[in-house]
Amino acid sequence: MDKRTTETEAVAELRDGMTIGIGGWGSRRKPMSIVREILRSSVRDLTIVTYGGPDVGLLCKYGKVKRLVYGFVSLDSIPLEPHFRRARQEGAIPEVRELDEGMLQWGLYAAALRLPFLPTRAGLGTDVMEINPELQLVTSPYQDAEQLVAMPALELDMAFIHMNRADMHGNGQYLGPDFYFDDLYCMAAKRRFMTCEKIIETKNLLTEGTLHTLRINRTMVDGVIEAPGGAHFTECTPDYGRDERFQSEYAATAKDPEAWEAFKAEYLDISELEYQKKVAAR
């Protein structure tokens, strides 16, 4: 089956109030062309589940987020995402659930397995349990009788991920150092869209990487979008590294309303094609 589509068609499936998962990790291999398309849309009141980077900062800045579930929100070389930090300081995110990174993974895994929860030691003995009083403990039914966190499933309406390579059927390949948890996002969601740097023929998927890099298979994906530069300004190694100069320029806009308006007009109030042309011309 040919599953090729576009960012516009994928985002058109979003509805107000949906829960979406965004793959990648911090400022690494984020599906930013999809995020930019969401910014252009009228959708709002989203619940975002992610190991956050500029995706979270931008969606918060645009007022798209009603609830945020996260393990962290970082730009990596800039420890705390500045627009996210400002939104938190100003109380602009109506609901937040800050989790241990392992708890977020287990929540996605539980949803992927269609289980109501999974037991984990992650979060025990930390303030995570105090700031999330809805989280419950369970007791092991075995001789150890250990107390564990019952991490609830993080069920998603839609998931968006970005890969280095894919075929038109929905098989996806990462070529960087880590697959992060993109497979779990796809398995936890009802609808799944994958952007990629390049769509290639299935027979060529092992030309650049070994079998283990084919982390995403076609049963996990409903739509494939060829989006060269689609992860910019986050990194998508080995195709390109993080655009540190661009990221610094972006981060500086959190401190200056005039700089933000100029940045928005220059890079966000335009089409994805225009965005990529401006990035290439820098």
Side-chain angles (χ1 to χ4, degrees):
M1 180 183 292
D2 187 344
K3 297 180 180 177
R4 286 175 290 184
T5 184
T6 66
E7 287 97 342
T8 301
E9 290 176 334
V11 171
E13 293 196 21
L14 280 175
R15 296 291 179 270
D16 292 351
M18 276 189 167
T19 297
I20 66 173
I22 302 177
W25 180 272
S27 195
R28 307 176 200 179
R29 217 180 64 229
K30 284 285 178 178
M32 295 301 293
S33 65
I34 287 283
V35 172
R36 288 186 283 268
E37 188 63 27
I38 295 174
L39 302 182
R40 298 183 197 102
S41 77
S42 61
V43 70
R44 54 184 296 173
D45 294 334
L46 297 174
T47 291
I48 305 297
V49 178
T50 189
Y51 295 98
D55 48 339
V56 171
L58 284 166
L59 291 169
C60 287
K61 185 65 179 177
Y62 271 72
K64 300 289 189 182
V65 182
K66 180 180 180 182
R67 185 167 184 257
L68 180 62
V69 181
Y70 63 100
F72 57 79
V73 185
S74 172
L75 297 179
D76 290 355
S77 56
I78 299 174
L80 193 59
E81 214 286 350
H83 285 289
F84 160 75
R85 178 171 62 182
R86 192 174 184 89
R88 288 285 278 137
Q89 290 172 333
E90 295 176 349
I93 308 173
E95 300 175 43
V96 293
R97 175 184 275 184
E98 182 176 351
L99 299 172
D100 175 274
E101 295 171 23
M103 296 171 79
L104 183 59
Q105 177 194 2
W106 237 228
L108 292 171
Y109 194 28
L113 296 176
R114 303 298 184 261
L115 292 172
F117 71 91
L118 278 175
T120 177
R121 295 189 180 96
L124 286 173
T126 74
D127 288 343
V128 168
M129 301 302 292
E130 294 185 19
I131 63 174
N132 297 289
E134 73 279 11
L135 294 174
Q136 301 294 315
L137 299 177
V138 292
T139 303
S140 167
Y142 300 104
Q143 189 173 8
D144 58 272
E146 182 176 356
Q147 289 270 297
L148 300 164
V149 176
M151 181 60 209
L154 295 171
E155 298 174 348
L156 308 174
D157 293 307
M158 298 183 71
F160 300 109
I161 64 171
H162 187 79
M163 289 283 129
N164 295 91
R165 304 288 180 267
D167 66 11
M168 67 178 184
H169 308 296
N171 296 300
Q173 179 181 43
Y174 74 97
L175 296 173
D178 199 325
F179 56 83
Y180 308 126
F181 297 113
D182 288 353
D183 52 342
L184 295 185
Y185 285 102
C186 289
M187 290 191 289
K190 297 171 184 170
R191 294 282 289 172
R192 301 74 49 91
F193 290 91
M194 173 174 59
T195 55
C196 66
E197 291 299 313
K198 187 185 297 183
I199 291 178
I200 60 178
E201 291 191 36
T202 306
K203 65 181 181 182
N204 294 328
L205 279 172
L206 293 181
T207 300
E208 297 179 82
T210 58
L211 186 61
H212 82 282
T213 63
L214 299 177
R215 192 71 180 187
I216 306 299
N217 71 62
R218 65 184 185 277
T219 68
M220 300 177 179
V221 173
D222 298 291
V224 182
I225 302 154
E226 186 168 55
H232 184 271
F233 53 93
T234 71
E235 71 174 29
C236 188
T237 55
D239 292 308
Y240 47 85
R242 184 167 45 247
D243 189 335
E244 295 286 359
R245 186 164 65 93
F246 190 101
Q247 177 165 282
S248 295
E249 184 178 336
Y250 160 76
T253 66
K255 301 177 182 176
D256 184 342
E258 289 187 10
W260 164 252
E261 290 301 325
F263 181 89
K264 181 173 175 287
E266 181 75 9
Y267 294 110
L268 300 175
D269 294 340
I270 57 177
S271 70
E272 182 64 18
L273 180 60
E274 291 172 313
Y275 175 89
Q276 294 297 341
K277 286 181 178 177
K278 288 203 172 188
V279 169
R282 282 168 60 91

